[in-house]
Amino acid sequence: KAGQDLGLDMHTDACDVTLNVCLGRDFTGAGLTLCGLRGGEPPSRGGGDGRERTLRHVHAHTRGHAILHLGRQRHGADDIVTGERYNLILWNKSSHHRLSKDFLAKYRSRPPAAPGGEAASGGEEAAPPDLACLSYTHDDDYENYKPYPPGKK
């Protein structure tokens, strides 16, 4: 409900795939901002830019429609402005996938390479993050880019 459901800070899910179905009611706001993939592959290895904090898409929920995304995709929900919304969210895990060499290698690999070919140290990025993809909960450098929301520090 408006004034009660006050968004959800940027995060990733502890699953392989998330299904988010908008079941109904009349509402405004409550967009879903989708950013890059945690552990994303750099372009040199066939991926995007390897940046978790890169804005990819802003999804507007519509009753009767769903969005499916990878659990490791950084995302967050905006506040409900008016009305009330109901969503069904399913978090899916695959034990077979999580035991695969590809999965284990991805989570043991070094950070993506920065321009110039050297691996970024300490998770540093080659370019500043998109402000919409910052997390006041998870990003130690949040305050370097914008002030904390009231009551969130």
Side-chain angles (χ1 to χ4, degrees), residues 23-43:
L23 298 177
R25 296 288 180 147
D26 292 321
F27 64 92
T28 60
L32 181 66
T33 300
L34 299 159
C35 300
L37 299 177
R38 172 165 284 171
E41 295 292 333

Side-chain angles (χ1 to χ4, degrees), residues 69-106:
H69 65 83
L70 294 174
R72 65 188 182 102
Q73 183 157 30
R74 183 177 267 219
H75 59 285
D78 297 330
D79 295 352
I80 294 175
V81 176
T82 63
E84 190 172 12
R85 184 192 79 209
Y86 292 105
N87 279 45
L88 171 67
I89 301 174
L90 301 173
W91 294 282
N92 305 277
K93 290 184 181 179
S94 167
S95 299
H96 180 75
H97 170 65
R98 288 176 171 246
L99 293 173
S100 72
K101 289 179 184 177
D102 288 340
F103 179 86
L104 295 172
K106 180 170 294 296

Side-chain angles (χ1 to χ4, degrees), residues 6-7 9 136-137 142 148-153:
L6 300 178
D9 189 31
Y136 55 82
T137 306
Y142 184 93
Y148 280 95
K152 299 295 182 182
K153 188 165 183 175

Side-chain angles (χ1 to χ4, degrees), residues 103-117:
F103 179 86
L104 295 172
K106 180 170 294 296
Y107 286 92
R108 290 181 184 152
S109 64
R110 295 173 57 184

